[in-house]
Amino acid sequence: MSAANVSQCASCGKGGDNLKACTACKLVKYCNVTCQKAHRPKHKKECKKRASEIFDEALFKTPPPKEDCPICFLRLPLEPSDTQYQECCGKIICSGCVYGEVNARQSAELFCPFCRAPAPTSDEGSVERMKERIEVGDTVAMYNLGCRYRRGGGVPQDSNKALELWNQ
């Protein structure tokens, strides 16, 4: 056994497998609460420093990547104008798949490339679909409907309603 694999109580020096790590810094281990309390004055400064480092690591880690396009399975573009939200199914689809669907159909009626639901023919129809998506907790629908209330697209212009939707 190497020295790195041996676990010892930071206070009394006893070894064992039943040692519990300091919950804040995870650097030292103790055999019981009495040992932890006895060692606290010696460990406090180092513990606070390591606990703040752990917090900073969690705070400043890179955000998870956006999800993939559900049709072509490629990573969605970072530019929001290169994607399209579908009010019928709540999917965000890359513009390539949206344009591919439009060109493949060659018809006047548009359909969702994912669920094949017909596209709404008016702003009011689009608003009704977004309200249905909001009922199931779709945050993108809340944001988009808030934007419509802010600028008055298919709904009466109402900044208070927009803020209410954005804060949900």
Side-chain angles (χ1 to χ4, degrees):
M1 250 188 190
S2 69
N5 293 337
V6 177
S7 294
Q8 290 184 336
C9 175
S11 181
C12 66
K14 290 182 184 174
D17 295 335
N18 296 1
L19 300 177
K20 295 185 175 32
C22 174
T23 55
C25 69
K26 315 279 193 262
L27 287 177
V28 295
K29 295 183 179 183
Y30 301 102
C31 53
N32 57 40
V33 175
T34 308
C35 284
Q36 184 177 9
K37 287 180 181 177
H39 189 253
R40 181 72 180 152
K42 297 176 192 170
H43 174 63
K44 187 175 181 179
K45 189 174 182 180
E46 181 184 352
C47 182
K48 282 187 175 188
K49 181 181 177 200
R50 178 63 186 144
S52 70
E53 288 172 2
I54 290 171
F55 177 77
D56 287 348
E57 287 171 10
L59 183 64
F60 295 111
K61 71 178 183 180
T62 56
K66 288 180 89 174
E67 57 187 77
D68 297 337
C69 173
I71 297 174
C72 65
F73 300 110
L74 294 175
R75 184 80 58 213
L76 286 171
L78 295 175
E79 184 64 38
S81 63
D82 293 338
T83 60
Q84 185 174 339
Y85 175 76
Q86 301 297 317
E87 293 112 1
C88 47
C89 56
K91 301 291 183 189
I92 298 175
I93 299 173
C94 71
S95 294
C97 291
V98 172
Y99 295 137
E101 176 67 20
V102 169
N103 289 336
R105 289 226 178 241
Q106 296 293 324
S107 68
E109 190 173 9
L110 299 176
F111 292 87
C112 171
F114 186 76
C115 69
R116 305 286 188 232
T121 56
S122 65
D123 281 344
E124 289 77 17
S126 180
V127 168
E128 286 306 313
R129 281 195 176 168
M130 279 192 261
K131 287 180 180 178
E132 290 172 8
R133 295 294 313 158
I134 288 171
E135 288 177 13
V136 295
D138 189 339
T139 57
V140 178
M142 289 177 199
Y143 172 78
N144 287 343
L145 189 57
C147 290
R148 284 184 176 246
Y149 272 108
R150 185 163 186 265
R151 70 174 186 270
V155 292
Q157 192 170 7
D158 185 355
S159 297
N160 292 330
K161 182 71 175 173
L163 285 172
E164 180 184 317
L165 284 164
W166 290 335
N167 288 326
Q168 282 186 357

